[in-house]
Amino acid sequence: MKTLSIAAIAGVLAISGCADMSQTQRGTATGAGIGGILGAVTGGGGGGRALGGAAIGGAIGAVAGNIWSNRMEEQKRAMEQATQGTGVQVTQTQDNRLKLEIPSDISFDTGRADIKPELRPVLDRFAATLVENPATTVTIVGHTDNTGSDAINDPLSTQRAARTRDYLTTRGVGVGRFMIEGRGSHEPLVPNTSDANRAKNRRVEIYVAEPQQQAQQQQAPAGYAPPPPPRY
């Protein structure tokens, strides 16, 4: 079992590091490898059974997680156009999520959770892309610099995430699609050693994901029912 697990982990690292793979391919390969490890561990009861568990786990891992669909790519392009010149960074993450990193310059004043007027046009366009792609889920994470105590910064970062969510819901995005988090000053991008650095650390990050299962449900024809799981 130990030999199998070590080999599986090495395979995950080797596959996911291939330079010629796309983001989606790397995510699927990594998921399959991790699923295989879990399957081998849960299979138990000797080599043959462990290998069977690894195969089952690999299949589960390969279909789990997020996908990068044409809709996600279109949403990324739309947000890149909408945020040109604003300082907002739009990227695709390793786990196939769309990430918007919004700096303090256009988001919130120091010590406040009120959305600045400069951010509203960006959020308006972002909300429109979310309405166009209803299979996605949204996670909003607020951050502060280290000025002040955790007793102030932790709730402030959560309030900023909540205000961003609330604004988007007024633009037609269902509240059930959101998760919010506040991480205070605990995850700085750069050391809080200057005003410029502290400004970089005061930010809001928005992550959009299209979970594979939800995407399949969204695309399934009317009346379609998935087949029952196999029995082992």
Side-chain angles (χ1 to χ4, degrees):
M1 177 63 68
K2 183 181 294 184
T3 303
L4 176 62
S5 297
I6 293 172
I9 292 170
V12 171
L13 295 176
I15 293 171
S16 61
C18 290
D20 58 349
M21 278 187 171
S22 67
Q23 294 279 10
T24 302
Q25 289 170 330
R26 275 197 293 269
T28 300
T30 304
I34 293 171
I37 294 169
L38 294 175
V41 172
T42 58
R49 204 169 154 194
L51 289 173
I56 296 167
I60 293 172
V63 299
N66 306 317
I67 64 172
W68 190 260
S69 65
N70 290 335
R71 289 188 299 261
M72 291 291 288
E73 183 62 32
E74 291 170 1
Q75 188 171 6
K76 179 175 180 287
R77 287 198 297 264
M79 290 314 303
E80 286 172 340
Q81 293 174 1
T83 59
Q84 281 184 348
T86 65
V88 176
Q89 295 185 19
V90 182
T91 57
Q92 177 185 353
T93 66
Q94 289 288 336
D95 58 348
N96 287 328
R97 294 189 293 174
L98 173 64
K99 178 182 177 182
L100 275 68
E101 187 171 304
I102 304 172
S104 63
D105 297 8
I106 67 167
S107 54
F108 302 96
D109 288 323
T110 302
R112 300 188 63 84
D114 302 314
I115 293 175
K116 286 185 175 182
E118 297 92 326
L119 180 57
R120 292 172 187 167
V122 173
L123 293 181
D124 289 343
R125 183 66 188 105
F126 180 54
T129 67
L130 292 175
V131 172
E132 293 165 1
N133 194 359
T136 55
T137 59
V138 187
T139 301
I140 306 175
V141 184
H143 299 269
T144 69
D145 61 30
N146 68 341
T147 304
S149 65
D150 289 347
I152 295 173
N153 290 330
D154 290 353
L156 177 61
S157 62
T158 302
Q159 290 168 10
R160 288 174 172 173
R163 293 289 179 87
T164 304
R165 174 203 59 197
D166 294 345
Y167 185 93
L168 292 170
T169 60
T170 66
R171 297 302 186 266
V173 186
V175 67
R177 296 172 61 181
F178 291 95
M179 289 183 58
I180 62 169
E181 299 180 35
R183 298 182 183 171
S185 62
H186 307 294
E187 296 182 3
L189 292 175
V190 292
N192 285 287
T193 52
S194 66
D195 290 342
N197 280 9
R198 282 188 286 272
K200 291 179 180 179
N201 292 330
R202 295 192 303 269
R203 68 197 189 279
V204 172
E205 296 170 342
I206 304 178
Y207 298 88
V208 183
E210 187 171 5
Q212 190 159 39
Q213 184 178 9
Q214 289 192 24
Q216 289 171 343
Q217 291 173 350
Q218 185 76 15
Q219 296 169 3
Y224 169 80
R231 295 184 178 180
Y232 299 100

